[in-house]
Amino acid sequence: MDEEQLLFTLFSIVSIAFGGVIGSFINVCAYRLPEGRSVISPGSRCPKCASPIAWYDNIPVISWVLLRAKCRECGEWISWRYPLVEAITAGLGFLVFWRFGISVATPVYIILAASLVLVTIVDLTDWIIPNEVTLPGIPLSIGVALLAMWFPDSGIRVLGHFLPVFNALIGVIVGGASLYLLDKISLLLLKKRGMGMGDVKLLAMLGGFFGYPGVLMVVMVASVIGSIVGVIMITVAKKAPTVAPSETDDEDDEDMVALSGHYLPFGPYLCLGGLVVMFFGADIYDYYMAMVDLGM
Ligand SMILES: [Zn+2]
């Protein structure tokens, strides 16, 4: 094994472990944020017997396997959801390293990817997009653009290009304003909500990370995936996931897009769109530009 392979192996393991540890924290957040509880203290406890979980019983994926999915104290089953989330973020950790290499961009994008996993889980389970992610996420996205400006070798590139801070700010405004206006137009013309404020803040955050026109690519990818999944769900299952409308009247709670009378959460698709742009934005952009050059 030469030096290059050794570094690749070493940093792959570090990225996978980093992703897994963040996944473990995301499990805590996904469980506590919708209940408005602190994600810092108290430490992780068994939901049944409330005994604190020791660090050696809290190693991502590995502990769940070693404990055979049971609490060490009371034997209560531990849901497969926890190791699944940890495995997903660990896998994303590796993919980010594989894509961005040894650079400042890698830890930044591992955290962003894990945050999008958290938003997806909470939106699917509790029909809300946590402000705890999107509100700090907007200034952080501008901070990342500043970081890239100060450190040109950071590897932070959007659609394969350097992202100026001004461009990130335009992304926040375009991302937030487009969904906000869509919601107002929907209210005016269709007399129903088009978008929840959670989606507005989420796309503003993604706009900050991917700039303009990156934010438009996020919406485009999200819409394509959302339409395909929506049509499949409606034709196969004959219905989309049901949700009681009375529970979603609150402005911050409602984030569904109407599709032929069926309601689907749009947040997960925006998150997926963000991940696709993060990994493949440059390729999609180059492909598009090549098509335009060919006059197609
Ligand atoms: Zn227990």
Side-chain angles (χ1 to χ4, degrees):
M1 196 187 274
D2 63 26
E3 198 183 345
E4 202 175 322
Q5 284 171 321
L6 190 71
L7 273 179
F8 183 85
T9 310
L10 188 71
F11 277 92
S12 294
I13 294 168
V14 170
S15 304
I16 290 166
F18 184 51
V21 168
I22 295 182
S24 182
F25 181 60
I26 274 174
N27 277 324
V28 176
C29 294
Y31 187 62
R32 294 185 187 177
L33 284 182
E35 297 177 359
R37 291 160 61 202
S38 164
V39 295
I40 308 292
S41 71
S44 296
R45 282 162 194 277
C46 167
K48 195 186 179 200
C49 70
S51 55
I53 297 166
W55 67 268
Y56 49 82
D57 284 341
N58 210 3
I59 299 165
V61 185
I62 297 167
S63 290
W64 188 83
V65 174
L66 290 179
L67 289 167
R68 295 196 179 84
K70 282 179 193 161
C71 170
R72 188 185 286 277
E73 300 299 324
C74 70
E76 172 78 351
W77 285 101
I78 307 165
S79 169
W80 50 268
R81 208 182 99 177
Y82 298 105
L84 177 68
V85 168
E86 288 157 359
I88 288 171
T89 52
L92 283 169
F94 174 73
L95 285 178
V96 171
F97 168 66
W98 171 71
R99 192 79 169 110
F100 298 95
I102 302 170
S103 67
V104 177
T106 295
V108 168
Y109 286 144
I110 290 176
I111 293 169
L112 175 61
S115 305
L116 295 178
V117 172
L118 172 61
V119 170
T120 302
I121 298 167
V122 178
D123 200 12
L124 287 176
T125 55
D126 291 85
W127 302 88
I128 51 170
I129 291 176
N131 281 334
E132 288 85 349
V133 173
T134 53
L135 291 185
I138 294 169
L140 274 175
S141 69
I142 304 299
V144 168
L146 282 169
L147 188 75
M149 196 173 79
W150 278 318
F151 300 101
D153 298 330
S154 64
I156 294 166
R157 294 286 181 276
V158 174
L159 309 188
H161 298 276
F162 173 72
L163 177 71
V165 176
F166 178 72
N167 209 311
L169 282 168
I170 298 289
V172 170
I173 295 165
V174 169
S178 56
L179 290 193
Y180 183 80
L181 289 175
L182 191 69
D183 185 50
K184 294 301 160 210
I185 291 168
S186 174
L187 267 179
L188 201 71
L189 299 180
L190 305 171
K191 305 280 181 253
K192 60 182 173 188
R193 305 287 316 252
M195 282 293 149
M197 286 302 117
D199 294 301
V200 170
K201 285 170 268 185
L202 176 61
L203 192 59
M205 179 186 94
L206 291 172
F209 278 106
F210 301 116
Y212 181 89
V215 65
L216 297 184
M217 196 186 279
V218 172
V219 176
M220 200 184 72
V221 173
S223 304
V224 169
I225 300 172
S227 307
I228 294 169
V229 173
V231 167
I232 290 172
M233 282 173 89
I234 288 164
T235 48
V236 173
K238 300 284 179 219
K239 61 171 186 172
T242 49
V243 57
S246 58
E247 284 176 15
T248 60
D249 281 342
D250 184 68
E251 191 172 67
D252 265 12
D253 276 353
E254 195 183 23
D255 50 67
M256 286 125 225
V257 59
L259 188 68
S260 320
H262 297 277
Y263 290 94
L264 295 166
F266 197 47
Y269 299 113
L270 287 175
C271 292
L272 209 52
L275 286 176
V276 167
V277 170
M278 189 172 101
F279 285 117
F280 307 111
D283 302 320
I284 298 171
Y285 185 76
D286 289 347
Y287 180 78
Y288 176 77
M289 291 319 268
M291 289 293 114
V292 171
D293 278 352
L294 288 171
M296 291 170 81

